[in-house]
Amino acid sequence: MANPVDTLGHCRPTARLILSTPDPRSVARLRYAFSAYAALHGIRVVDDDSADVTVAHGDVDTAVQVRLPAGYRLRPDTEPAPPPVQVDGMPCFHLAPSGEPDVLGEVFEWLAAPHERASTELDDIGRIPPEHTLAGTHGLDRRVPWANRWLARLHRAVRTALPGLPGSPPSPFGASRTFVASHDMDHLSSRRLVNGHRVLKNVGVAVAGRRDLRTGAAILGAAARRTVHGRPTIVGVADLLAGEAARGVRATYTVVAESTHRRDPGYRLDDDFVRHTLADIAEAGHELAVHGSYRSLEVPGQLEHEYALLADAGFPATGGRQHWLRHRGGELFAALERAGAEWDSTYGHPDLVGYRHGAAFPFLPYDLDRERARPVVEIPMVVMERALCTAGSRPADWAATATEVLRAAGDDGWGGTAVLWHDYAFPGAALPAGLAETYWAVLDAGDHWVTAAEVAAATRTRWADAGALTGLPGRT
Ligand SMILES: [Zn+2]
C-alpha cells in the first residue's frame, strides 16, 4: 500500500517501535521519546507489520531492522539526574550495560525534564533557576541542542534500514529554517506620568543596578526625543508594526489580560489606548496571545479567566507565555489544558540564550503524573533580547550570536523555536538601543518567520501522527 503523502508532497514513511521492557511507565516514556523522533522527521508511527521500518529497544524476539541499546532507568520523582558520563562527546544519563547510550532514554531525560521536577530550589520570583535545570546542574552547554543530537543519532541508525529517508528533518513549512518572533507587551500606556515613572525606573536599573552610565544617559535622551515627537516613550508597538510590515513578517504579540500583582503591567483591556493598540496588531495580520499574569498559576482559575477576558475583548487566543516566565512546570500545562490552549512558549531563560530542554524543535511536554504527552505544544524560547547583553558578545555581534543560537541544530532540525523581543526595546528608553537594530538584523538574516499558532498547528499534527496524542492501536 502506498504511504500517505503530506501537504508538501513528502512521502510519509511509517515506523514501529517494539520494547523489551515490561514496565508500563518505562514503556510510556520510551514511546514518548520515539514519538519525538517520528514527529521531528514527519514519520507516522504504527503498531503492526505494515511499518516501513521496525525498531527494537533492547532484546526482543521479533525480527527487526534496527536495534537500540536499552539502558533507561526509572528513578524516584524526588531524585535529580545523576552526573552524566561522556560518550562520543555527548553527556549520557542512561547507559546500556554494553556501555552504549540509550538514545530514547536520553531524549526523554531532556524533554520531560524529571530533573527539574525534583528541584526544590526556587529563585525569588518562584521559578526553577537556570542552575537547577539539567544543563545548569551538570554544566552542559545550553547552546547545543542535545535532544536534536540524540535524535540525529537515532535517525542515522534508522537510515541504515531505510536509506531513502531524507538526511535532515523535513520542515512542515517547506523552508529550510522557520522561527517565531514574539513580543510580550509589559507596558501599554499612553499616560505620560506612568511612562515617565517607568523611564526613570529604567535609568535607575541601568545606573544603580548595572553601573551602566552610558545606557542611563541614552535612555533619557531617547525618552526626550520621543516626547518631542509626541510618540510614546516606552511602548514600541508602532515601531514593531512598521518594521514587520516592511518585511512581510507576521509575529505573535502577548497581552496581560488582567493585572493582579504589582509586578503585572497594570494596563486594562477596556483602556482606549490598549484597545486601539490590540486592534492595530490584529488588523496587521499578527497573532494576539495571552501573557499569563504574575499570579495566574496561583489563583485558581486565573489563567483560564485571562484567556476568556481576551476572547471577550474580541481577541481569542490559542496560546501564550507566562509573564516573568513564571512557572514551575506541570501546573502551567495543567492550567493551559483547562483553558483549551494549544501552545505555550515559556520554556527558556530571561538572561541566558540557548536550549533549556535541549530541544531546538517544538514538542509536547510530558505529564509525569499521568505518564503521557500533554496536548499543548511547547515552542522553546531560545533568545530573549536582554540575554544578549550578558551573552559575552559586543553589541555589534548580538545579531550574529542570536542567529547562531537559533540555527544551532544545523541539519538536525528545521526550527520551530522562538525569539522574544519586548516592544519596549524599540523606543530606546528601556534597554540598550542596539537591541532594536539587532532584532531587524535577525529578521533579515534569511530565515522564514511564522506565528506561534502556525507552528503549534503543524507540530500537533506531526505528534498526533507519531502516536503521541491518541495512543496506538492495541495499546491499553
Ligand atoms: Zn512579561
Side-chain angles (χ1 to χ4, degrees):
M1 196 178 82
N3 287 327
V5 169
D6 70 13
T7 49
L8 295 172
H10 299 129
C11 185
R12 300 294 310 276
T14 55
R16 179 188 191 188
L17 176 68
I18 302 179
L19 297 138
S20 62
T21 174
D23 175 68
R25 286 174 74 202
S26 299
V27 167
R29 293 175 175 204
L30 297 164
R31 282 202 180 279
Y32 164 79
F34 193 69
S35 292
Y37 164 67
L40 182 64
H41 285 272
I43 292 171
R44 251 177 357 108
V45 175
V46 296
D47 206 18
D48 56 39
D49 294 339
S50 70
D52 295 321
V53 60
T54 302
V55 177
H57 180 268
D59 291 327
V60 300
D61 295 337
T62 322
V64 299
Q65 290 118 309
V66 180
R67 284 187 188 277
L68 303 175
Y72 179 68
R73 276 180 305 278
L74 276 169
R75 54 176 193 272
D77 288 348
T78 51
E79 200 178 294
V85 175
Q86 293 289 324
V87 177
D88 302 335
M90 302 272 285
C92 303
F93 297 93
H94 300 278
L95 280 185
S98 62
E100 297 166 282
D102 180 337
V103 176
L104 295 179
E106 301 300 342
V107 170
F108 181 82
E109 194 67 50
W110 280 104
L111 297 189
H115 178 85
E116 285 192 22
R117 173 146 128 163
S119 172
T120 51
E121 311 265 353
L122 300 178
D123 67 9
D124 57 1
I125 309 293
R127 306 170 294 201
I128 297 161
E131 55 273 26
H132 292 295
T133 61
L134 193 61
T137 302
H138 298 296
L140 306 174
D141 190 346
R142 288 184 185 82
R143 299 190 190 197
V144 178
W146 296 105
N148 291 67
R149 299 284 185 264
W150 286 119
L151 293 177
R153 189 175 170 122
L154 172 53
H155 190 56
R156 284 195 292 276
V158 171
R159 279 188 89 210
T160 57
L162 273 186
L165 286 178
S168 298
S171 164
F173 296 96
S176 58
R177 294 186 204 87
T178 299
F179 302 111
V180 173
S182 63
H183 312 296
D184 295 348
M185 294 187 286
D186 288 343
H187 306 284
L188 273 186
S189 177
S190 57
R191 277 171 291 181
R192 282 206 183 156
L193 203 64
V194 172
N195 292 334
H197 179 73
R198 174 57 60 175
V199 168
L200 290 178
K201 215 169 147 185
N202 293 339
V203 171
V205 169
V207 175
R210 299 199 303 266
R211 302 197 179 285
D212 183 353
L213 282 171
R214 260 176 72 181
T215 298
I219 286 173
L220 281 177
R225 279 193 302 279
R226 300 274 295 197
T227 306
V228 166
H229 291 104
R231 303 183 65 195
T233 49
I234 292 290
V235 182
V237 173
D239 310 60
L240 272 173
L241 291 178
E244 286 171 347
R247 291 165 174 83
V249 166
R250 285 178 307 112
T252 296
Y253 288 70
T254 74
V255 188
V256 177
E258 187 173 63
S259 293
T260 60
H261 187 273
R262 63 183 173 82
R263 283 180 166 148
D264 284 326
Y267 58 74
R268 294 174 53 97
L269 291 184
D270 56 8
D271 178 274
D272 274 351
F273 178 74
V274 172
R275 289 199 91 105
H276 287 137
T277 303
L278 301 190
D280 288 348
I281 294 169
E283 250 167 56
H286 300 285
E287 174 182 17
L288 283 164
V290 169
H291 198 27
S293 71
Y294 193 80
R295 299 184 67 223
S296 58
L297 299 176
E298 290 166 18
V299 179
Q302 179 65 24
L303 189 61
E304 297 96 296
H305 177 57
E306 292 173 16
Y307 273 84
L309 283 176
L310 201 55
D312 291 348
F315 308 105
T318 62
R321 175 183 294 123
Q322 290 301 102
H323 186 42
W324 290 69
L325 308 183
R326 196 164 187 258
H327 76 101
R328 290 184 303 279
E331 92 288 26
L332 166 59
F333 290 92
L336 289 169
E337 281 182 52
R338 287 195 298 273
E342 290 164 19
W343 62 268
D344 170 76
S345 186
T346 302
Y347 278 1
H349 295 299
D351 291 303
L352 294 167
V353 297
Y355 301 94
R356 177 168 177 164
H357 294 85
F361 54 85
F363 62 97
L364 302 190
Y366 192 77
D367 184 337
L368 289 160
D369 293 317
R370 288 184 285 181
E371 299 289 350
R372 62 168 176 78
R374 291 187 179 277
V376 177
V377 174
E378 176 60 30
I379 299 170
M381 196 274 285
V382 181
V383 177
M384 173 163 150
E385 90 284 272
R386 153 183 136 184
L388 291 168
C389 305
T390 51
S393 52
R394 297 174 302 126
D397 299 331
W398 284 341
T401 301
T403 303
E404 208 172 281
V405 176
L406 272 179
R407 296 176 179 174
D411 293 337
D412 302 337
W414 58 262
T417 55
V419 300
L420 161 56
W421 251 262
H422 292 86
D423 65 280
Y424 60 66
F426 291 81
L431 294 169
L435 286 172
E437 289 96 83
T438 300
Y439 176 66
W440 303 124
V442 169
L443 287 195
D444 292 338
D447 299 317
H448 181 54
W449 296 86
V450 296
T451 63
E454 288 170 289
V455 163
T459 303
R460 204 183 155 86
T461 302
R462 285 214 174 170
W463 279 74
D465 289 349
L469 282 173
T470 50
L472 290 165
R475 278 181 67 192
T476 51

mmCIF file of all heavy atoms in Angstrom, residues 184 186 291 323-324, ligand 1:
data_model
loop_
_atom_site.group_PDB
_atom_site.id
_atom_site.type_symbol
_atom_site.label_atom_id
_atom_site.label_comp_id
_atom_site.label_asym_id
_atom_site.label_seq_id
_atom_site.Cartn_x
_atom_site.Cartn_y
_atom_site.Cartn_z
ATOM 1 N N ASP A 184 6.254 40.225 24.095
ATOM 2 C CA ASP A 184 5.425 40.315 25.293
ATOM 3 C C ASP A 184 5.197 41.795 25.600
ATOM 4 O O ASP A 184 6.160 42.554 25.721
ATOM 5 C CB ASP A 184 6.141 39.661 26.494
ATOM 6 C CG ASP A 184 6.338 38.165 26.291
ATOM 7 O OD1 ASP A 184 5.741 37.605 25.349
ATOM 8 O OD2 ASP A 184 7.099 37.558 27.078
ATOM 9 N N ASP A 186 4.592 44.314 28.070
ATOM 10 C CA ASP A 186 4.644 44.520 29.516
ATOM 11 C C ASP A 186 4.277 45.944 29.933
ATOM 12 O O ASP A 186 4.166 46.229 31.127
ATOM 13 C CB ASP A 186 6.042 44.163 30.037
ATOM 14 C CG ASP A 186 6.295 42.661 30.015
ATOM 15 O OD1 ASP A 186 5.311 41.900 29.921
ATOM 16 O OD2 ASP A 186 7.462 42.238 30.070
ATOM 17 N N HIS A 291 -0.432 36.698 27.787
ATOM 18 C CA HIS A 291 0.768 36.797 28.617
ATOM 19 C C HIS A 291 0.282 36.550 30.041
ATOM 20 O O HIS A 291 -0.214 37.476 30.689
ATOM 21 C CB HIS A 291 1.388 38.185 28.443
ATOM 22 C CG HIS A 291 2.820 38.274 28.883
ATOM 23 N ND1 HIS A 291 3.672 37.193 28.873
ATOM 24 C CD2 HIS A 291 3.566 39.326 29.325
ATOM 25 C CE1 HIS A 291 4.870 37.560 29.301
ATOM 26 N NE2 HIS A 291 4.829 38.855 29.592
ATOM 27 N N HIS A 323 4.186 35.734 32.062
ATOM 28 C CA HIS A 323 4.887 36.966 32.432
ATOM 29 C C HIS A 323 5.995 36.591 33.431
ATOM 30 O O HIS A 323 5.770 35.779 34.326
ATOM 31 C CB HIS A 323 3.847 37.891 33.077
ATOM 32 C CG HIS A 323 4.314 39.261 33.419
ATOM 33 N ND1 HIS A 323 5.112 40.027 32.598
ATOM 34 C CD2 HIS A 323 4.047 40.026 34.514
ATOM 35 C CE1 HIS A 323 5.316 41.198 33.185
ATOM 36 N NE2 HIS A 323 4.689 41.232 34.336
ATOM 37 N N TRP A 324 7.175 37.145 33.287
ATOM 38 C CA TRP A 324 8.361 36.812 34.087
ATOM 39 C C TRP A 324 8.790 35.355 33.878
ATOM 40 O O TRP A 324 9.567 34.825 34.648
ATOM 41 C CB TRP A 324 8.135 37.052 35.581
ATOM 42 C CG TRP A 324 8.020 38.498 35.977
ATOM 43 C CD1 TRP A 324 6.994 39.348 35.664
ATOM 44 C CD2 TRP A 324 8.943 39.285 36.741
ATOM 45 N NE1 TRP A 324 7.223 40.588 36.183
ATOM 46 C CE2 TRP A 324 8.404 40.592 36.859
ATOM 47 C CE3 TRP A 324 10.178 39.008 37.344
ATOM 48 C CZ2 TRP A 324 9.057 41.616 37.541
ATOM 49 C CZ3 TRP A 324 10.819 40.025 38.035
ATOM 50 C CH2 TRP A 324 10.270 41.311 38.130
HETATM 51 ZN ZN ZN B 1 6.221 39.924 30.717
#
